[in-house]
Amino acid sequence: NPALDVCSASKSDRANRSCIGVIAMPDKSNPGAYFEIPVTDMHRATTFYKHVFGFDFEMVDIHDNQMALMPFEAGGTGISGALAKGDIYKPSVCGTLIYLRTENIEQALERAQQAGAKVLFPKTNVNDYALVAEIEDCEGNRIGLMQHL
């Protein structure tokens, strides 16, 4: 399995792969697989994300943690994740930053602010590839918004 090869392959072989730590990843695979956004109030958080992004959630308990699974389309592009409530989940603006896709970043920012979010980084064009912005959600997490151009 090439994804499990250590990055000690020949230089020409390494040129055809991306090295993450000591694991080689095939070029056709993006490293992201799944994410969890920490929350302290699941009802407030699901209401916020439904208002801003229109998400419907599937509520499940996994390992004594309450999860609100975001939409997932088998065969679709990108990754999906969940809102997660449990002892190990601590909302923060200082941790990992995840960007959620939106079709209209201005409308998403407006809905986020209506729902009480703070804009931490205003709408910005990134090399004519995408528009990005960052908000602090209702739980205190820094969340990125991305609209592909």
Side-chain angles (χ1 to χ4, degrees):
N1 181 346
L4 299 178
D5 291 345
V6 176
C7 289
S8 61
S10 71
K11 184 176 180 181
S12 63
D13 192 35
R14 284 195 311 266
N16 295 322
R17 301 184 193 164
S18 300
C19 288
I20 309 294
V22 296
I23 303 295
M25 300 291 292
D27 280 350
K28 295 180 182 177
S29 177
N30 293 319
Y34 172 78
F35 61 86
E36 294 175 345
I37 298 173
V39 304
T40 55
D41 183 320
M42 188 60 77
H43 177 72
R44 178 178 62 209
T46 55
T47 300
F48 176 88
Y49 281 88
K50 182 168 184 66
H51 179 75
V52 175
F53 296 100
F55 293 157
D56 288 318
F57 294 94
E58 178 184 347
M59 304 302 294
V60 296
D61 287 329
I62 300 174
H63 306 296
D64 296 323
N65 297 300
Q66 187 180 9
M67 302 282 182
L69 301 177
M70 292 182 180
F72 174 77
E73 186 66 40
T77 60
I79 64 175
S80 191
L83 303 177
K85 179 181 178 185
D87 292 340
I88 66 166
Y89 297 101
K90 308 290 183 228
S92 174
V93 294
C94 299
T96 300
L97 177 58
I98 186 86
Y99 282 82
L100 298 176
R101 184 182 353 254
T102 180
E103 295 297 317
N104 186 314
I105 199 165
E106 289 195 21
Q107 288 178 1
L109 281 168
E110 184 178 313
R111 289 190 303 265
Q113 290 175 85
Q114 288 170 354
K118 297 177 199 165
V119 176
L120 301 177
F121 184 74
K123 178 184 79 171
T124 303
N125 186 309
V126 180
N127 300 325
D128 295 324
Y129 168 76
L131 298 173
V132 299
E134 296 172 13
I135 61 169
E136 182 176 335
D137 73 3
C138 64
E139 298 298 296
N141 295 298
R142 178 181 294 265
I143 301 293
L145 310 175
M146 178 180 280
Q147 175 187 332
H148 291 283
L149 299 175

